Short mmCIF file of all heavy atoms in Angstrom, two decimals:
data_model
loop_
_atom_site.label_atom_id
_atom_site.label_comp_id
_atom_site.label_asym_id
_atom_site.label_seq_id
_atom_site.Cartn_x
_atom_site.Cartn_y
_atom_site.Cartn_z
N VAL A 8 5.09 -8.30 7.45
CA VAL A 8 3.68 -8.47 7.07
C VAL A 8 3.54 -7.87 5.68
O VAL A 8 4.15 -6.90 5.27
CB VAL A 8 2.74 -7.65 8.02
CG1 VAL A 8 1.30 -7.80 7.68
CG2 VAL A 8 3.02 -8.00 9.50
N GLN A 9 2.73 -8.65 4.94
CA GLN A 9 2.35 -8.10 3.57
C GLN A 9 0.91 -7.61 3.55
O GLN A 9 0.11 -8.25 4.07
CB GLN A 9 2.42 -9.28 2.58
CG GLN A 9 1.98 -8.84 1.18
CD GLN A 9 1.72 -9.97 0.19
OE1 GLN A 9 2.57 -10.80 0.09
NE2 GLN A 9 0.67 -9.91 -0.52
N PHE A 10 0.73 -6.42 2.96
CA PHE A 10 -0.59 -5.84 2.88
C PHE A 10 -0.94 -5.68 1.46
O PHE A 10 -0.11 -5.28 0.63
CB PHE A 10 -0.59 -4.43 3.50
CG PHE A 10 -0.36 -4.40 4.92
CD1 PHE A 10 0.87 -4.16 5.44
CD2 PHE A 10 -1.42 -4.74 5.82
CE1 PHE A 10 1.10 -4.15 6.87
CE2 PHE A 10 -1.22 -4.61 7.26
CZ PHE A 10 0.08 -4.38 7.68
N ASN A 11 -2.19 -6.03 0.97
CA ASN A 11 -2.62 -5.77 -0.29
C ASN A 11 -3.43 -4.51 -0.34
O ASN A 11 -4.31 -4.33 0.52
CB ASN A 11 -3.55 -6.97 -0.77
CG ASN A 11 -2.87 -8.35 -0.90
OD1 ASN A 11 -1.70 -8.32 -1.31
ND2 ASN A 11 -3.48 -9.32 -0.52
N THR A 12 -3.03 -3.60 -1.10
CA THR A 12 -3.68 -2.29 -1.04
C THR A 12 -3.83 -1.76 -2.43
O THR A 12 -3.09 -1.91 -3.34
CB THR A 12 -2.86 -1.30 -0.25
OG1 THR A 12 -3.44 -0.10 -0.16
CG2 THR A 12 -1.38 -1.09 -0.66
N ASP A 13 -4.88 -0.89 -2.57
CA ASP A 13 -5.18 -0.21 -3.83
C ASP A 13 -5.69 1.16 -3.61
O ASP A 13 -6.26 1.87 -4.52
CB ASP A 13 -5.99 -1.08 -4.76
CG ASP A 13 -7.34 -1.32 -4.21
OD1 ASP A 13 -7.56 -1.03 -3.02
OD2 ASP A 13 -8.17 -1.90 -4.96
N ILE A 14 -5.77 1.60 -2.36
CA ILE A 14 -6.39 2.88 -1.99
C ILE A 14 -5.31 3.77 -1.31
O ILE A 14 -4.70 3.25 -0.35
CB ILE A 14 -7.63 2.64 -1.12
CG1 ILE A 14 -8.73 1.80 -1.83
CG2 ILE A 14 -8.24 4.02 -0.70
CD1 ILE A 14 -9.82 1.46 -0.88
N ARG A 15 -5.16 4.91 -1.73
CA ARG A 15 -4.09 5.71 -1.20
C ARG A 15 -4.19 5.99 0.31
O ARG A 15 -3.22 5.91 0.98
CB ARG A 15 -4.20 7.17 -1.93
CG ARG A 15 -3.03 8.13 -1.51
CD ARG A 15 -3.23 9.56 -1.89
NE ARG A 15 -4.44 10.10 -1.22
CZ ARG A 15 -4.59 10.57 -0.02
NH1 ARG A 15 -3.52 10.48 0.83
NH2 ARG A 15 -5.70 11.07 0.35
N VAL A 16 -5.48 6.22 0.76
CA VAL A 16 -5.54 6.43 2.21
C VAL A 16 -5.13 5.15 3.08
O VAL A 16 -4.44 5.38 4.13
CB VAL A 16 -6.98 6.87 2.62
CG1 VAL A 16 -7.31 6.99 4.05
CG2 VAL A 16 -7.41 8.14 1.79
N ILE A 17 -5.53 4.03 2.52
CA ILE A 17 -5.08 2.81 3.28
C ILE A 17 -3.62 2.66 3.35
O ILE A 17 -2.98 2.25 4.21
CB ILE A 17 -5.94 1.67 2.74
CG1 ILE A 17 -7.38 1.82 3.04
CG2 ILE A 17 -5.28 0.37 3.30
CD1 ILE A 17 -8.27 0.67 2.49
N THR A 18 -3.06 2.86 2.09
CA THR A 18 -1.61 2.75 1.91
C THR A 18 -0.85 3.68 2.81
O THR A 18 0.15 3.36 3.50
CB THR A 18 -1.21 3.00 0.46
OG1 THR A 18 -1.96 2.17 -0.42
CG2 THR A 18 0.32 2.88 0.19
N GLN A 19 -1.38 4.89 2.90
CA GLN A 19 -0.68 5.92 3.68
C GLN A 19 -0.86 5.37 5.31
O GLN A 19 0.20 5.64 5.90
CB GLN A 19 -1.40 7.28 3.54
CG GLN A 19 -0.81 8.38 4.33
CD GLN A 19 -1.50 9.78 4.06
OE1 GLN A 19 -2.35 9.83 3.21
NE2 GLN A 19 -1.12 10.75 4.87
N THR A 20 -1.97 5.00 5.57
CA THR A 20 -2.05 4.47 7.07
C THR A 20 -1.13 3.37 7.30
O THR A 20 -0.50 3.26 8.39
CB THR A 20 -3.60 4.08 7.20
OG1 THR A 20 -4.43 5.15 6.91
CG2 THR A 20 -3.75 3.57 8.62
N ILE A 21 -0.94 2.39 6.38
CA ILE A 21 -0.05 1.27 6.57
C ILE A 21 1.40 1.83 6.69
O ILE A 21 2.04 1.38 7.70
CB ILE A 21 -0.15 0.27 5.31
CG1 ILE A 21 -1.46 -0.39 5.35
CG2 ILE A 21 0.97 -0.68 5.44
CD1 ILE A 21 -1.75 -1.07 4.04
N VAL A 22 1.78 2.74 5.84
CA VAL A 22 3.12 3.30 5.84
C VAL A 22 3.41 4.02 7.21
O VAL A 22 4.43 3.87 7.87
CB VAL A 22 3.41 4.18 4.72
CG1 VAL A 22 4.66 4.97 4.89
CG2 VAL A 22 3.38 3.38 3.35
N GLU A 23 2.45 4.76 7.55
CA GLU A 23 2.57 5.64 8.87
C GLU A 23 2.72 4.59 10.15
O GLU A 23 3.49 4.94 11.01
CB GLU A 23 1.49 6.61 9.06
CG GLU A 23 1.58 7.72 8.05
CD GLU A 23 0.52 8.75 7.96
OE1 GLU A 23 -0.47 8.48 8.73
OE2 GLU A 23 0.54 9.66 7.26
N ALA A 24 1.89 3.68 10.12
CA ALA A 24 1.86 2.66 11.30
C ALA A 24 3.27 1.87 11.20
O ALA A 24 3.78 1.69 12.35
CB ALA A 24 0.75 1.69 11.15
N ALA A 25 3.61 1.51 10.08
CA ALA A 25 5.01 0.78 10.05
C ALA A 25 6.19 1.71 10.56
O ALA A 25 7.04 1.30 11.25
CB ALA A 25 5.32 0.31 8.53
N LYS A 26 6.06 2.92 10.09
CA LYS A 26 7.14 3.94 10.65
C LYS A 26 6.99 4.04 12.11
O LYS A 26 8.06 3.98 12.86
CB LYS A 26 6.83 5.30 9.97
CG LYS A 26 7.87 6.29 10.37
CD LYS A 26 7.69 7.64 9.78
CE LYS A 26 8.66 8.60 10.17
NZ LYS A 26 8.47 10.00 9.65
N GLU A 27 5.83 4.27 12.68
CA GLU A 27 5.60 4.39 14.13
C GLU A 27 6.17 3.18 14.86
O GLU A 27 6.82 3.30 15.88
CB GLU A 27 4.24 4.65 14.49
CG GLU A 27 3.93 5.03 15.96
CD GLU A 27 2.42 5.17 16.14
OE1 GLU A 27 1.83 6.02 15.34
OE2 GLU A 27 1.89 4.60 17.02
N GLU A 28 5.96 1.97 14.34
CA GLU A 28 6.37 0.75 15.01
C GLU A 28 7.78 0.35 14.59
O GLU A 28 8.24 -0.61 15.11
CB GLU A 28 5.26 -0.32 14.60
CG GLU A 28 3.96 -0.16 15.25
CD GLU A 28 3.93 -0.13 16.66
OE1 GLU A 28 4.66 -0.90 17.31
OE2 GLU A 28 3.17 0.70 17.23
N LYS A 29 8.35 1.09 13.67
CA LYS A 29 9.70 0.75 13.17
C LYS A 29 9.68 -0.73 12.64
O LYS A 29 10.55 -1.42 12.93
CB LYS A 29 10.70 1.05 14.13
CG LYS A 29 10.79 2.44 14.51
CD LYS A 29 11.89 2.63 15.55
CE LYS A 29 11.87 4.11 15.99
NZ LYS A 29 12.57 4.43 17.14
N SER A 30 8.62 -1.10 11.87
CA SER A 30 8.39 -2.42 11.46
C SER A 30 8.47 -2.54 9.99
O SER A 30 7.83 -1.78 9.24
CB SER A 30 6.98 -2.84 11.87
OG SER A 30 6.74 -4.14 11.48
N PRO A 31 9.19 -3.46 9.42
CA PRO A 31 9.25 -3.65 8.04
C PRO A 31 7.89 -4.36 7.53
O PRO A 31 7.12 -4.90 8.23
CB PRO A 31 10.24 -4.75 7.84
CG PRO A 31 10.34 -5.48 9.13
CD PRO A 31 10.00 -4.54 10.06
N PHE A 32 7.59 -4.06 6.22
CA PHE A 32 6.30 -4.65 5.65
C PHE A 32 6.51 -4.63 4.18
O PHE A 32 7.43 -4.02 3.57
CB PHE A 32 5.06 -3.69 6.03
CG PHE A 32 5.09 -2.41 5.36
CD1 PHE A 32 4.36 -2.21 4.28
CD2 PHE A 32 5.80 -1.38 5.90
CE1 PHE A 32 4.30 -0.88 3.60
CE2 PHE A 32 5.83 -0.15 5.32
CZ PHE A 32 5.12 0.08 4.17
N ILE A 33 5.65 -5.44 3.50
CA ILE A 33 5.59 -5.47 2.12
C ILE A 33 4.20 -4.92 1.64
O ILE A 33 3.16 -5.32 2.16
CB ILE A 33 5.66 -6.94 1.58
CG1 ILE A 33 7.11 -7.50 2.00
CG2 ILE A 33 5.53 -6.99 0.04
CD1 ILE A 33 7.19 -9.00 1.83
N CYS A 34 4.18 -4.03 0.75
CA CYS A 34 3.05 -3.44 0.12
C CYS A 34 2.78 -3.98 -1.16
O CYS A 34 3.52 -3.79 -2.10
CB CYS A 34 3.10 -1.95 0.18
SG CYS A 34 1.53 -1.07 0.05
N LYS A 35 1.64 -4.73 -1.33
CA LYS A 35 1.48 -5.38 -2.69
C LYS A 35 0.30 -4.80 -3.31
O LYS A 35 -0.79 -4.44 -2.66
CB LYS A 35 1.19 -6.95 -2.43
CG LYS A 35 0.89 -7.64 -3.57
CD LYS A 35 0.72 -9.09 -3.17
CE LYS A 35 0.15 -9.96 -4.36
NZ LYS A 35 -1.22 -10.05 -4.58
N VAL A 36 0.27 -4.74 -4.65
CA VAL A 36 -0.83 -4.14 -5.46
C VAL A 36 -1.21 -5.31 -6.46
O VAL A 36 -0.29 -5.92 -7.03
CB VAL A 36 -0.48 -2.92 -6.18
CG1 VAL A 36 -1.60 -2.60 -7.07
CG2 VAL A 36 -0.13 -1.88 -5.21
N SER A 37 -2.45 -5.72 -6.42
CA SER A 37 -2.89 -6.84 -7.32
C SER A 37 -2.76 -6.38 -8.83
O SER A 37 -2.72 -5.08 -9.02
CB SER A 37 -4.30 -7.27 -7.10
OG SER A 37 -5.12 -6.18 -7.43
N GLU A 38 -2.76 -7.33 -9.72
CA GLU A 38 -2.65 -6.99 -11.21
C GLU A 38 -3.80 -6.18 -11.61
O GLU A 38 -3.72 -5.24 -12.31
CB GLU A 38 -2.53 -8.18 -11.99
CG GLU A 38 -2.25 -8.03 -13.41
CD GLU A 38 -2.02 -9.34 -14.24
OE1 GLU A 38 -1.75 -10.39 -13.62
OE2 GLU A 38 -2.12 -9.18 -15.40
N SER A 39 -5.02 -6.57 -11.06
CA SER A 39 -6.24 -5.73 -11.47
C SER A 39 -6.20 -4.33 -10.87
O SER A 39 -6.68 -3.50 -11.63
CB SER A 39 -7.50 -6.47 -10.99
OG SER A 39 -7.45 -6.62 -9.61
N ALA A 40 -5.73 -4.26 -9.66
CA ALA A 40 -5.65 -2.84 -9.10
C ALA A 40 -4.59 -2.00 -9.88
O ALA A 40 -4.74 -0.79 -10.13
CB ALA A 40 -5.25 -2.89 -7.64
N LEU A 41 -3.52 -2.68 -10.24
CA LEU A 41 -2.48 -2.00 -11.05
C LEU A 41 -3.04 -1.50 -12.42
O LEU A 41 -2.77 -0.41 -12.87
CB LEU A 41 -1.30 -2.92 -11.29
CG LEU A 41 -0.10 -2.34 -11.98
CD1 LEU A 41 0.49 -1.17 -11.17
CD2 LEU A 41 0.99 -3.34 -12.19
N LYS A 42 -3.78 -2.32 -13.03
CA LYS A 42 -4.47 -2.02 -14.26
C LYS A 42 -5.38 -0.78 -14.11
O LYS A 42 -5.50 0.16 -14.85
CB LYS A 42 -5.25 -3.10 -14.86
CG LYS A 42 -4.40 -4.12 -15.54
CD LYS A 42 -5.26 -5.34 -16.09
CE LYS A 42 -4.36 -6.48 -16.69
NZ LYS A 42 -5.11 -7.62 -17.15
N TYR A 43 -6.17 -0.88 -12.94
CA TYR A 43 -7.22 0.22 -12.64
C TYR A 43 -6.41 1.56 -12.29
O TYR A 43 -6.78 2.61 -12.81
CB TYR A 43 -7.93 -0.24 -11.39
CG TYR A 43 -8.89 0.82 -10.89
CD1 TYR A 43 -10.03 1.24 -11.67
CD2 TYR A 43 -8.57 1.49 -9.73
CE1 TYR A 43 -10.92 2.25 -11.16
CE2 TYR A 43 -9.49 2.53 -9.28
CZ TYR A 43 -10.55 2.96 -9.99
OH TYR A 43 -11.41 3.98 -9.52
N MET A 44 -5.34 1.50 -11.42
CA MET A 44 -4.75 2.70 -11.07
C MET A 44 -3.57 3.16 -12.07
O MET A 44 -3.34 4.28 -12.13
CB MET A 44 -4.00 2.53 -9.66
CG MET A 44 -5.04 2.29 -8.55
SD MET A 44 -4.24 2.16 -6.89
CE MET A 44 -2.89 0.98 -7.12
N GLY A 45 -3.06 2.26 -12.77
CA GLY A 45 -2.03 2.58 -13.75
C GLY A 45 -0.65 2.46 -13.00
O GLY A 45 -0.55 2.84 -11.82
N ILE A 46 0.36 2.17 -13.83
CA ILE A 46 1.66 1.94 -13.24
C ILE A 46 2.28 3.28 -12.75
O ILE A 46 2.94 3.34 -11.70
CB ILE A 46 2.58 1.25 -14.24
CG1 ILE A 46 4.01 0.96 -13.62
CG2 ILE A 46 2.89 2.12 -15.49
CD1 ILE A 46 3.89 -0.17 -12.57
N GLN A 47 2.00 4.42 -13.48
CA GLN A 47 2.54 5.71 -13.04
C GLN A 47 2.04 6.11 -11.68
O GLN A 47 2.80 6.48 -10.81
CB GLN A 47 2.26 6.78 -14.09
CG GLN A 47 3.07 6.63 -15.45
CD GLN A 47 2.32 5.61 -16.35
OE1 GLN A 47 1.22 5.09 -16.14
NE2 GLN A 47 3.14 5.22 -17.43
N PHE A 48 0.71 5.94 -11.58
CA PHE A 48 0.08 6.38 -10.18
C PHE A 48 0.56 5.46 -9.11
O PHE A 48 0.94 5.92 -8.03
CB PHE A 48 -1.48 6.33 -10.29
CG PHE A 48 -2.09 6.72 -8.99
CD1 PHE A 48 -2.28 8.07 -8.70
CD2 PHE A 48 -2.50 5.73 -8.10
CE1 PHE A 48 -2.97 8.42 -7.52
CE2 PHE A 48 -3.22 6.13 -6.91
CZ PHE A 48 -3.28 7.41 -6.66
#
């Protein structure tokens, strides 16, 4: 599954659920979210 995310809390929830389910996933950040959050963050 691919998730589009730009909020830390949502990203953390996705990661924890994937770990619990032992399920692979793709975490995607849009170009606009990347500009907003910055590449370092």
Side-chain angles (χ1 to χ4, degrees):
V8 181
Q9 175 193 317
F10 296 96
N11 296 322
T12 180
D13 60 352
I14 302 171
R15 184 195 60 80
V16 175
I17 293 174
T18 304
Q19 183 178 354
T20 303
I21 293 167
V22 170
E23 289 173 358
K26 180 181 179 185
E27 184 177 313
E28 295 296 321
K29 297 179 182 163
S30 178
F32 70 99
I33 298 168
C34 196
K35 178 182 174 265
V36 176
S37 69
E38 187 175 343
S39 60
L41 186 61
K42 286 179 183 177
Y43 173 74
M44 295 189 303
I46 188 72
Q47 290 83 9
F48 180 81

